[in-house]
């Protein structure tokens, strides 16, 4: 029996033996692709190649890609736990050909690996090919059908022609596409989960669990035009994907993916933590909870490892939804305290060999998950109570629909994502009023849409190959002579004609450039591109594949394709270099002061300031911040040289150079060493980091350093904002003005400001204490007044009807008086009126619990009497209040209150 580790290793080795380069999995967070929330297929990291925007230095590749499918058309979230094979996180084993081999080899090798290496019974395998589609004129893939019976022993009757839905792959509305051929396995009639459906007949692509897709072979040979027509691509590609979890279930002879060695260690740990037993039953709610939690902890761990932290926007909100969904299923297993974080180590033991990053960052991930669990746990039980009340109300109603207002309250107050409320509603045969919920959620929905919006300039470049730009001068000079190749606008890439519109934002493409494209946390350069006929202001610079694009607007004249031009950076580059070099020193200093557990989570290096995110479990103390600043300043004062060296990535790792986790590196990397005179002395550098950014020649050029803010941005992640150079000087000058103002206000020299402010604070504290004592005395008087009202109160049975006016007092004292009355009277309906100056009055109503059970509610009563004093208000059954503009009508309001109370009591 193959273990999952052996299945993965065997797959990769099989294709390496056939000339494929092993390409490590990309992070689940797409790099440079804002059109995707998460990597959801093995091909995502090769997208630029398929679009013709870049060329790899290899023609064959293989890997096992980490994938998350929780949004868009690829969204398996709602199916997880209900069947044996849907997951939010999965591994996609794949092999690729970039204009090398094509259908024959892909089919032959897939069959060989499955049947001869993995030993799957060939009589159980079926193949499908594209049947064609008359709507766009695409023809059946007879070529693949013939190859199946030619290069494999599969009989013709097990090669099926299927529709576009199952057997045609497209990247988008336009762009590269092609037919695909899927390999399915017949698991036997006992695996059918649709026997209860009238007329169901088991077959490939019928939707039941008997026939399962194992491997999809995509043959990318066409380019879809904007008008929907197909044209042949000049190059042909193979893109295949096989789910590791499904193959493991087959090779380990399991009926469910969840019974394989990929999930069972997690499920066993859940059983140990909760005391429940897993029985692999699809009809059991308990077992469904096991499956959901086991699946979701995988998505959470890999996403957080790769840089996503739970939040209320974009990817972070998706992870928060998944975590809270799992936490609710934890309640099914009677888990009322944080427990999922304890599963991170189990997953790291299971998959850490293949993905070392989850083992390296397991402690950090566990910290984040525990914090999120604890935060949601504080409101989960109360939210479940609110849901139960809303569900019972809906069950009594004819339409069996939970109010959108209730769903929004669960979201807004108790942190329940809408899909969690919908899930619980479905479990009770109910639905949710989504329309009302959406109306109440417009602001939040707008933020989510903004987070997912793909504003990338690549939107107009589908199928367009951009030229490679020589940007080696970015490390050498601030100005260079070059030639205009063309520009990108909303219509695409243009290499002919002239640019004349000064209102449209476009991106110039040059033959060579000294501009740095945004990358690795450093912002893109700005400046000026000038030809004999026009000037173009560059606002920022980006990189698309191997092409550098200079985004901005035409400032004057015209720019024509083919023009000779001069590209010049503005002075912001020097400021950016100061902040970037300081960021490297800051990371070193933090590790010196706080320890090696500090790991970079991200950064922003711009002209105005630097921002550095790092892992650390708690706020830094003032002493730690001071020590960190001092270590950075010491290195600045030493005026140390900075050396940049390009070397093989394995050699750089041996040197101990730090890499930013989540960044994608090639076979060679640039290492920035601070404290080394030359490449030969790079080992002597105190700071060594993988970095493609721009840096100073020596640390003394930084000119100064100060941390101006240290804060938390998520559980286990801190953020430092700091200033250098001119930015620091401006900051200190502003602070100096503040000190000057304080010396004038306090009539004290600068050195005495601190002691003078301390005295003012002490005096203020004493005054507040005195006021509080006086208020307590006043509160005693108010309680005495209210006690007199109780003595004079009319009674109906054991219930006292206490209504009357009190002297003017703060709201908290009036509430204390009501609490006192409740205790003394045991059963009471209370309405008090309190003047608030000459032209306002406040009404307070309260009911003891026994009266609430009889139907008396303070909130309802206050709404009825408030209009009498020209006011309005509301509240809960126990306590309510209102403000009014007509104190003269207070006696009538109190009289009406008494009347209403008597009516309800009798």
């Amino acid at each position: 029996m193959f273990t999952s580790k052996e299945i993965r290793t065997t797959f990769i080795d099989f294709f390496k033996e056939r000339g494929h380069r092993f390409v490590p999995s990309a992070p689940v967070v797409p790099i440079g692709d804002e059109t995707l929330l998460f990597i959801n297929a093995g091909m995502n990291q090769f997208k630029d190649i398929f679009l013709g925007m870049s060329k790899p230095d290899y023609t064959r590749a293989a890997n096992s890609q980490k994938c998350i499918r929780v949004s868009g058309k690829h969204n398996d979230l709602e199916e997880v736990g209900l069947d044996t094979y849907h997951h939010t996180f999965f591994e996609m084993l794949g092999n690729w050909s970039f204009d090398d081999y094509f259908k024959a080899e892909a089919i032959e090798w897939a069959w060989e690996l499955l049947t001869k290496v993995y030993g799957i019974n060939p009589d159980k395998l079926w193949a499908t090919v594209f049947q064609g589609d008359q709507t766009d004129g695409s023809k059946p893939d007879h070529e693949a059908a013939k190859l199946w019976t030619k290069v494999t022993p599969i009989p013709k009757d097990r090669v099926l022609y299927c529709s576009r839905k199952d057997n045609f792959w497209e990247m988008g509305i336009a762009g590269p596409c092609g037919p695909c051929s899927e390999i399915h396995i017949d698991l036997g009639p006992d695996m059918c989960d649709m026997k209860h459906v009238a007329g169901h007949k088991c077959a490939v692509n019928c939707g039941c669990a008997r026939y399962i897709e194992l491997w999809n072979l995509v043959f990318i040979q066409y380019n879809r035009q904007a008008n929907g027509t197909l044209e042949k691509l000049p190059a042909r590609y193979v893109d295949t994907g096989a789910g590791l979890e499904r193959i493991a279930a087959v090779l380990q002879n399991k009926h469910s993916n969840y019974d394989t060695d990929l999930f069972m260690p997690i499920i066993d740990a859940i059983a140990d933590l909760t005391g429940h037993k897993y029985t692999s039953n699809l009809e059991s709610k308990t077992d469904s909870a096991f499956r959901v939690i086991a699946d979701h902890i995988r998505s959470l761990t890999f996403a957080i490892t790769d840089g996503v932290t739970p939040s209320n926007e974009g990817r972070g909100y998706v992870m928060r939804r998944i975590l809270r969904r799992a936490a609710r299923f934890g309640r099914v297993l009677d888990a009322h305290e944080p427990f999922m974080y304890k599963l991170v180590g189990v997953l790291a033991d299971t998959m850490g060999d293949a993905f070392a990053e989850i083992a390296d960052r397991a402690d950090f991930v566990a910290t984040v998950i525990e914090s999120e669990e604890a935060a949601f746990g504080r409101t989960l039980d109360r939210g479940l109570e609110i849901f139960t009340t809303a569900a019972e109300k809906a069950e009594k109603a004819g339409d069996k629909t939970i109010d959108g207002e209730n769903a929004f309250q669960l979201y807004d107050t108790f942190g329940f994502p809408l899909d969690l409320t919908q899930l619980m509603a479905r479990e009770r045969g109910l639905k949710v009023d989504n329309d009302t919920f959406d109306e109440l959620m417009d602001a939040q929905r707008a933020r989510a849409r903004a987070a997912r919006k793909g504003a990338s300039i690549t939107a107009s470049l589908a199928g367009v190959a951009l030229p490679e730009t020589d940007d080696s001068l970015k490390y050498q000079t601030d100005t260079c002579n070059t030639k205009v190749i063309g520009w990108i606008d909303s219509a695409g890439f243009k290499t002919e004609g002239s640019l004349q519109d000064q209102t449209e934002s476009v991106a110039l493409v040059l033959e060579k450039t000294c501009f740095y494209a945004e990358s690795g946390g450093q912002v893109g350069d700005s400046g000026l591109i000038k030809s004999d006929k026009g000037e173009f202001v560059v606002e920022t610079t980006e990189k698309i594949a191997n092409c550098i694009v200079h985004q901005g607007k035409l400032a004057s004249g015209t720019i024509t394709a083919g023009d000779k031009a001069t590209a010049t950076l503005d002075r912001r580059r020097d400021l950016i270099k100061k902040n970037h070099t300081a960021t490297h020193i800051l990371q070193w200093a933090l590790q010196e002061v706080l320890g090696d557990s500090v790991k970079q989570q991200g950064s922003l290096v711009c002209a105005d300031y630097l921002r550095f995110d790092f892992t650390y479990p708690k706020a830094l103390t003032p002493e730690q911040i001071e020590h960190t600043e001092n270590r950075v300043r010491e290195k600045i004062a030493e005026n140390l040289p900075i050396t940049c060296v390009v070397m093989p990535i394995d050699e750089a790792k041996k040197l101990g150079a730090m890499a930013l986790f989540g960044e994608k590196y090639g076979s060679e990397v640039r290492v920035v060493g601070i404290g080394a005179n030359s490449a030969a002395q790079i080992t002597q550098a105190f700071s060594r980091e993988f970095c493609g950014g721009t840096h100073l020649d020596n640390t003394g050029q930084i000119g100064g350093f100060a941390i101006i803010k240290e804060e938390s941005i998520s559980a286990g992640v801190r953020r430092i904002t700091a200033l250098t150079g001119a930015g620091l000087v401006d900051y200190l000058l502003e602070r100096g003005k503040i000190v000057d103002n304080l010396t004038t206000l306090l009539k004290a020299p600068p050195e005495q400001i601190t002691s003078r402010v301390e005295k003012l604070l002490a005096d203020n504290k004493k005054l507040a204490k005195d006021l509080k004592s006086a208020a307590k005395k006043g509160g005693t008087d108010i309680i005495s007044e209210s006690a007199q009202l109780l003595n004079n109160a009319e009674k109906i049975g054991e219930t006292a009807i206490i209504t009357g006016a009190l002297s003017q007092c703060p709201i908290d004292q009036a509430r204390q008086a009501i609490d006192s009355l409740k205790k003394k009277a045991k059963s009471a309906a209370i309405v008090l009126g309190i003047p608030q100056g000459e032209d306002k009055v406040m009404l307070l109503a309260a009911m003891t619990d026994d009266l609430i059970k009889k139907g008396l509610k303070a909130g309802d009563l206050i709404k009825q009497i408030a209009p009498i004093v020209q006011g309005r208000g509301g509240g809960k059954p126990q306590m309510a209040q209102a403000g009014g503009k007509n104190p003269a009508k207070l006696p009538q309001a109190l009289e009406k209150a008494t009347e209403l109370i008597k009516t309800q009591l009798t």
Side-chain angles (χ1 to χ4, degrees), residues 200-267:
H200 172 74
K201 184 178 180 180
C202 292
V204 172
N205 287 330
C206 72
C208 80
R210 173 177 173 178
Y211 290 91
I212 296 293
E213 175 199 334
L214 284 183
W215 204 338
N216 188 13
L217 315 178
V218 180
F219 308 122
I220 303 174
Q221 60 191 91
Y222 300 113
N223 186 43
R224 173 83 63 188
Q225 300 298 299
N227 62 8
T229 60
L230 297 174
E231 66 175 17
K232 284 192 175 182
L233 286 170
R236 302 184 303 178
Y237 306 101
V238 172
D239 162 27
T240 86
L244 173 63
E245 291 77 10
R246 294 187 180 186
I247 291 179
V250 171
L251 297 185
Q252 294 175 16
N253 196 29
K254 303 295 184 182
H255 293 310
S256 167
N257 295 357
Y258 292 96
D259 295 341
T260 68
D261 63 352
L262 287 164
F263 289 92
M264 283 310 299
I266 304 172
I267 288 174

Side-chain angles (χ1 to χ4, degrees), residues 74-139:
H74 297 300
N75 185 354
D76 294 334
L77 181 62
E78 298 304 326
E79 306 300 325
V80 171
L82 301 179
D83 59 25
T84 62
Y85 54 89
H86 276 104
H87 308 292
T88 59
F89 173 88
F90 62 95
E91 280 186 67
M92 185 72 85
L93 302 169
N95 60 289
W96 290 269
S97 166
F98 306 117
D99 203 22
D100 188 342
Y101 64 84
F102 203 45
K103 296 179 183 179
E105 295 88 343
I107 291 170
E108 181 179 5
W109 289 338
W111 183 269
E112 180 183 354
L113 179 57
L114 290 178
T115 61
K116 295 182 180 179
V117 179
Y118 287 147
I120 295 175
N121 183 351
D123 294 335
K124 294 184 176 182
L125 298 180
W126 293 67
T128 63
V129 297
F130 180 49
Q131 70 180 17
D133 193 326
Q134 293 182 352
T135 59
D136 63 2
S138 53
K139 297 179 180 179

Side-chain angles (χ1 to χ4, degrees), residues 8-24 60-64 94-96 101 109 113:
R8 186 190 298 113
T9 302
T10 299
F11 184 96
I12 293 168
D13 289 345
F14 178 88
F15 284 102
K16 284 171 70 175
E17 290 168 3
R18 287 154 182 78
H20 291 64
R21 165 99 51 99
F22 169 65
V23 180
R60 301 180 178 188
N63 83 348
S64 182
N95 60 289
W96 290 269
Y101 64 84
W109 289 338
L113 179 57

Side-chain angles (χ1 to χ4, degrees), residues 774-818:
K776 281 184 178 179
K777 183 180 178 182
T780 303
D781 293 339
I782 292 299
I783 290 174
S784 297
E785 286 186 37
S786 65
Q788 190 60 43
L789 292 176
L790 174 59
N791 293 336
N792 299 329
E794 183 178 351
K795 278 196 171 187
I796 296 180
E798 295 298 320
T799 300
I801 303 174
I802 307 170
T803 61
L806 297 179
S807 302
Q808 183 170 335
C809 65
I811 181 68
D812 59 334
Q813 289 184 15
R815 289 179 182 275
Q816 289 173 13
I818 285 177

Side-chain angles (χ1 to χ4, degrees), residues 658-805:
M658 289 187 291
L660 173 58
F661 188 80
E663 278 292 321
K664 187 176 179 181
Y665 298 102
S667 57
E668 288 192 329
V669 295
R670 182 170 178 261
V671 175
V672 175
I674 304 178
N677 282 306
S678 64
Q681 297 178 333
I682 193 72
T683 57
Q684 298 175 14
F686 72 87
S687 167
R688 295 184 295 274
E689 291 191 36
F690 290 22
C691 183
T694 57
H695 288 271
L696 303 167
D697 296 323
N698 61 73
T699 61
Q701 294 171 334
I702 295 173
F705 176 87
I707 294 173
I708 61 170
K709 183 187 285 187
E710 191 275 338
E711 60 189 322
S712 170
I713 58 170
S714 64
V717 181
R718 310 297 301 179
R719 170 173 289 172
I720 279 178
T721 304
L723 300 174
T724 67
L728 177 57
V729 172
D730 292 342
Y731 175 82
L732 293 176
L733 287 173
E734 285 299 316
R735 286 296 186 271
K737 291 178 182 178
I738 294 172
V739 172
D740 291 342
N741 290 336
L742 286 172
T743 59
T744 301
L745 286 171
L746 298 173
K747 296 181 173 56
E751 61 271 17
Q752 293 181 12
I753 287 177
T754 302
S755 59
R756 184 65 61 87
V757 171
E758 287 173 345
K759 185 177 185 306
L760 285 172
L761 290 173
D763 292 344
N764 187 63
K765 186 176 181 181
K766 182 178 182 301
L767 180 59
K769 186 177 180 181
D770 292 343
L771 287 171
K772 190 173 182 181
S773 297
K776 281 184 178 179
K777 183 180 178 182
T780 303
D781 293 339
I782 292 299
I783 290 174
S784 297
E785 286 186 37
S786 65
Q788 190 60 43
L789 292 176
L790 174 59
N791 293 336
N792 299 329
E794 183 178 351
K795 278 196 171 187
I796 296 180
E798 295 298 320
T799 300
I801 303 174
I802 307 170
T803 61

Side-chain angles (χ1 to χ4, degrees), residues 5 13 66 73 80 83 143 160 165 188 211 217 252 410 463 597 691 726 740 762 768 896:
K5 293 179 183 178
D13 289 345
K66 305 176 291 187
K73 68 177 182 178
V80 171
D83 59 25
E143 179 187 6
L160 309 177
K165 175 179 176 290
Y211 290 91
L217 315 178
Q252 294 175 16
L410 285 168
S597 64
C691 183
D740 291 342
K896 182 65 174 177

